[in-house]
């Protein structure tokens, strides 16, 4: 058992910054490449109902339509991603993978024909709902407190799962949110069901 502030906990925090921050730095590098190639990478986003674009689901979250788009996603991606990573690298992988796939599939299935979807916001929505649902499924006070704080800071963005803004993929947001809840259920809901309950008699 380790306590907050121990070398092991600090090491995990450093690892979280390196992994999540490194992935974010890669997004910035890709956007720089996209800028110098006159937006050539934008074509690797998700075009709905085109079978050949299904693999793009995997890397579309790494691509953005310009610097303002990337900048708006950077802080929530880093903060929420690090928060999840601190509970364990494998849990971060599950939350990231499921949010990526469900977000991309929802955009592929429901986005308007002729559109292209890219950006990390679907994964961010997955991170957000994962942290919120985690407190519910785990029933641990610390994680419930984290969920309340996260909701207080970022809860208003959940309106993004509805078609309220032109040019914003509510489909990807909704898919990512669903993936985040599903990931939390897989990690915490199933674990709690497998743990025998202690019954007094």
């Amino acid at each position: 058992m380790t306590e907050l502030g121990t070398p092991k906990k600090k090491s995990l925090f450093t690892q979280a910054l390196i992994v999540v921050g490194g992935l974010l730095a890669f997004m910035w590098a890709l956007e720089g490449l996209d800028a110098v190639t006159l937006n050539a990478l934008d074509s690797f986003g998700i075009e709905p109902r085109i079978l050949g674009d299904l693999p793009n689901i995997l890397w579309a979250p790494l691509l953005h339509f310009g610097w303002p788009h990337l900048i708006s996603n950077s802080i929530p991606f880093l903060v929420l991603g690090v928060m999840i990573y601190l509970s364990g690298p494998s849990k971060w992988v599950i939350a990231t993978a499921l949010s990526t796939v469900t977000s991309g599939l929802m955009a592929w299935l429901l986005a308007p024909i002729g559109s292209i979807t890219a950006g990390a916001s679907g994964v961010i929505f997955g991170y957000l709902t994962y942290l919120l649902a985690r407190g519910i499924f785990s029933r641990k006070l610390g994680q419930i407190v984290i969920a309340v704080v996260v909701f207080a800071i970022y809860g208003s963005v959940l309106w993004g799962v509805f078609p309220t803004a032109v040019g914003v993929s509510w489909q990807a947001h909704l898919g990512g949110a669903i993936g985040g809840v599903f990931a939390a259920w897989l990690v915490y809901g199933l674990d709690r069901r497998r743990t025998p309950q202690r019954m007094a008699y």
Side-chain angles (χ1 to χ4, degrees):
M1 181 179 294
T2 59
E3 297 179 356
L4 185 64
T6 62
K8 186 174 181 179
K9 196 69 176 181
K10 291 179 180 178
S11 175
L12 185 60
F13 180 70
T14 301
Q15 184 181 345
L17 286 178
I18 292 173
V19 173
V20 182
L23 190 57
L24 179 60
F26 184 56
M27 294 181 195
W28 279 74
L30 286 176
E31 186 55 36
L33 178 62
D34 190 47
V36 300
T37 58
L38 302 180
N39 303 320
L41 297 184
D42 290 352
S43 62
F44 292 97
I46 302 166
E47 292 191 55
R49 271 85 75 198
I50 296 179
L51 287 176
D53 268 35
L54 276 174
N56 292 5
I57 287 173
L58 300 177
W59 46 78
L62 301 173
L63 306 174
H64 290 80
F65 299 127
W67 295 111
H69 185 202
L70 174 58
I71 291 170
S72 67
N73 282 338
S74 293
I75 292 178
F77 179 84
L78 181 63
V79 171
L80 299 178
V82 167
M83 290 177 68
I84 294 173
Y85 199 101
L86 289 176
S87 63
S90 62
K91 294 173 182 176
W92 175 80
V93 169
I94 291 171
T96 302
L98 284 176
S99 299
T100 296
V101 171
T102 55
S103 173
L105 282 176
M106 193 70 78
W108 188 84
L109 287 170
L110 300 181
I113 293 293
S115 65
I116 299 179
T117 301
S121 57
V123 175
I124 292 169
F125 270 75
Y127 285 171
L128 175 59
T129 57
Y130 175 90
L131 289 168
L132 297 176
R134 183 180 71 174
I136 297 172
F137 291 128
S138 70
R139 297 184 181 177
K140 294 180 179 179
L141 179 59
Q143 293 180 352
I144 292 173
V145 171
I146 290 173
V148 171
V149 172
V150 167
F151 183 77
I153 297 174
Y154 291 109
S156 62
V157 307
L158 288 174
W159 286 107
V161 301
F162 299 106
T164 56
V166 177
V168 176
S169 180
W170 64 268
Q171 300 91 342
H173 294 173
L174 177 60
I178 292 171
V181 174
F182 184 47
W185 177 77
L186 281 178
V187 173
Y188 291 95
L190 288 180
D191 281 350
R192 189 164 56 82
R193 289 182 180 182
R194 294 191 190 105
T195 302
Q197 290 185 326
R198 297 179 178 179
M199 306 295 291
Y201 65 93

